Structures are given as C-alpha cells and as structure tokens.
Amino acid sequence: MAEKPAIKIGYLKITDHFILGVTARKLQQGMETFQHCTLEPVVKNGWNEVADALSVKSLDGALILAPTAMDLFKSGVDLKLLLLAHKSGSVLVKNKRANINSVEDFAGKTVLIPYQLSIHNMLFHKLLSEKGLKPGRATEKGIDVTLEVVAPFQMPEALEYDEDGEIGGFIVAEPFGSQVIAAGHGEEFELSKNLWAKHPCCVFVMRTEIIEKHPEAIQEICTSFVRSGLAIDAQPEPASIIGADFFSQDKDIIRRVLTDPPDRILTGELYPQKEDLDVIQKYMMDKMNIMTSLIDLDKFVDTRFADVAGAK
C-alpha cells in the first residue's frame, strides 16, 4: 500500500486558525482518522512567512489572509481558495496610555496592523475614512494616522513597552487583543464584527498541484475543518481547552474570545462567498490603492470540496 502523503498546512497562533487546531487534536486522539493523508500543521510567526512559504512551495496549503491569498494568486502562485477559516474574530484595541476616546483621537498616533493586505487594514481604513481621517505609512504625505506592520504575536509587547502612548492601539486577530486587555495595557475599542458583520478574513488555500494529485486527501481535510468549525461554535468550553494548548495561551483568554460576545468569532459558516471577496478586492483597489488589478474569482475559488463537506 502506498504511503499516505503528509499535507503541510501553514498557520499562525491566532484563533482565526482554530479549525486546524481542533482537527489536529481529533486526529491525535483518534477521534477522527484520515484515510488518504496525514496532516502536518506548520506554525509561522507572521504573514510574510506564510506567503513566502506558499510561493516557494515549502507548504502545500495554508490558513491565510484573504487579500494576501488573492495577491499571491494574481502574482502567479497557483492556489485555490477552498474554504473560509472563520468569520469575524478581530478586535481594535486602544492603548490605555494614549488617551483614545473617539475615532478622531487616533489622529497623530501610530496604529499597528498585521499586514498591508489584510482585512484589518481595510476595516481600519473604512473606520477612519468615515471620520475624514487618512491612514497610511510614515513615508506617505498627508496622512493623519501612521500604520505600522507588526506580526500579531509581537503586538502585545509593543503596547506594553510604549510608555509615551505614541501607539494608539492595534487591530488584529484574537487572542492578542484579549491578552493585552487581560494584562491591563489596553481596552477594547471596537470589534471587527461591528465594522462589517460576519466578514471574511482568513481563508484555507491549497496549491492546485496538490489538489489535483490528492483530491481525496483534500476532501478529508475540508470535511474535517467544517466539522471542527461547527464543534467550536457549539461547544466553546471544551474548545477553549484545546485552543489554550494549540495557541499556547491562557484558557480564560480563549474562552473570552469564544463567548464574549458569543458571535465575536464564527467558525460554523465556512462556505466561501465570492461576493464578499469581491467587496474586499474592489475596496482595496478603488479606495486604498493597494491592489493594482482585480482577479477572476471564478478561477480562484473552488467550492467543490465545501459542497461535499456540507459547509454553510
């Protein structure tokens, strides 16, 4: 019998990637068995590492920011988007030392974002633009709020050691917002779900050659991810124990992410909606000028596996 392929999937230690953690635990404990592959989660520190690894084919697939995945596809990396990884799930945290009481108070401050091509950047841009403020990098002219790209796991420390309150805050995937709030260095300013209800953020992509070579394996993974997502939404308490271990985080912080409020992050609705992805790419091209052209979403999104998995 041929040896089962090991499918390498990249991820970050953020709750957006919870479905991978639950699936990995189910396989580890024998609650689920894959017939056509073994799963090899590969942790990365930042989004540039994930993007680079997909480009050089050291990963077979990844949980990755939707705009970054679209940009990789546009640049010639042969990927397919198979599922959403979650909906909502991010938070804008204000620095306690920065005296932020309104959106306008971010003017003159630096705000940390996880990546240029991220839903976080888009949502923060939308929030500021509605108040007549312009965010941008320090080198750009006429900006009101300076954006600085920082890996998610480094954001809590950046806020902790910002004694002068020059950093207004950050917008990022959980659990880093709740971690900073629990440590007493920041306060919740806004949840991403309130800026765009049930917004997509991270997606599950696979390299096309891997899909074509091992379609049964990819179906197993997608079906398991969908079931894992439903289980997280339905049973946040046991899920928080798994998450604490998988993300190397405090269980109470993970529980807060899953339950306060209950729809802070949603993992039970993973079917990719092209309309939502189109909203992202058009906003980033027309309003933010960080995408130069649109991609053909019919060529990028492959819903065959989501259909069989019963994703909703």
Side-chain angles (χ1 to χ4, degrees), residues 38-302:
T38 58
L39 186 68
E40 192 177 321
V42 180
V43 68
K44 299 291 184 183
N45 284 321
W47 291 116
N48 55 334
E49 286 187 28
V50 179
D52 291 348
L54 283 171
S55 298
V56 301
K57 303 184 179 182
S58 63
L59 288 174
D60 301 313
L63 299 168
I64 188 172
L65 296 160
T68 306
M70 288 191 270
D71 191 61
L72 286 170
F73 179 80
K74 187 175 68 181
S75 68
V77 181
D78 199 358
L79 298 171
K80 291 282 188 284
L81 189 161
L82 306 183
L83 290 171
L84 300 183
H86 65 103
K87 287 180 178 176
S88 303
S90 291
V91 62
L92 173 58
V93 171
K94 63 178 183 178
N95 185 353
K96 272 193 172 179
R97 299 186 183 109
N99 196 27
I100 304 283
N101 298 302
S102 67
V103 174
E104 289 87 348
D105 291 337
F106 283 106
K109 301 288 185 183
T110 295
V111 171
L112 313 181
I113 60 171
Y115 209 56
Q116 191 81 349
L117 288 163
S118 68
I119 194 77
H120 312 87
N121 193 11
M122 173 186 163
L123 292 178
F124 190 58
H125 184 280
K126 186 171 178 290
L127 180 70
L128 291 181
S129 298
E130 287 169 355
K131 297 295 184 180
L133 296 174
K134 183 181 177 183
R137 286 175 286 195
T139 52
E140 295 176 48
K141 288 181 181 176
I143 60 163
D144 303 299
V145 181
T146 303
L147 300 178
E148 188 177 330
V149 173
V150 174
F153 81 99
Q154 293 176 318
M155 289 187 183
E157 194 174 74
L159 214 62
E160 182 181 346
Y161 292 107
D162 174 42
E163 294 180 0
D164 300 324
E166 291 177 5
I167 298 174
F170 59 73
I171 182 165
V172 74
E174 291 284 21
F176 298 110
S178 291
Q179 180 186 329
V180 158
I181 291 163
H185 302 302
E187 294 177 343
E188 190 176 286
F189 186 84
E190 191 61 277
L191 296 176
S192 64
K193 75 180 189 72
N194 298 330
L195 301 175
W196 179 3
K198 294 189 175 185
H199 66 80
C201 179
C202 286
V203 295
F204 175 45
V205 298
M206 289 293 304
R207 291 195 291 115
T208 303
E209 64 180 292
I210 304 298
I211 297 172
E212 290 173 350
K213 198 172 178 183
H214 307 293
E216 299 94 344
I218 305 312
Q219 186 62 66
E220 277 186 318
I221 293 169
C222 287
T223 298
S224 180
F225 279 176
V226 168
R227 288 174 181 164
S228 294
L230 290 167
I232 294 164
D233 275 0
Q235 300 175 290
E237 188 61 38
S240 65
I241 298 169
I242 295 170
D245 181 49
F246 190 66
F247 300 122
S248 309
Q249 272 286 352
D250 183 279
K251 188 183 78 165
D252 290 338
I253 287 175
I254 301 296
R255 188 196 294 114
R256 179 182 191 270
V257 173
L258 297 182
T259 61
D260 184 20
D263 59 348
R264 178 185 287 258
I265 184 168
L266 299 169
T267 56
E269 302 174 20
L270 303 186
Y271 200 90
Q273 303 290 342
K274 292 177 193 171
E275 298 82 4
D276 286 346
L277 297 169
D278 204 34
V279 167
I280 295 169
Q281 66 168 351
K282 283 177 177 171
Y283 188 93
M284 288 192 161
M285 186 173 85
D286 297 338
K287 307 276 196 224
M288 299 176 73
N289 301 314
I290 57 174
M291 280 190 173
T292 53
S293 61
L294 303 177
I295 64 166
D296 185 341
L297 290 166
D298 290 331
K299 291 180 180 174
F300 178 53
V301 179
D302 183 347

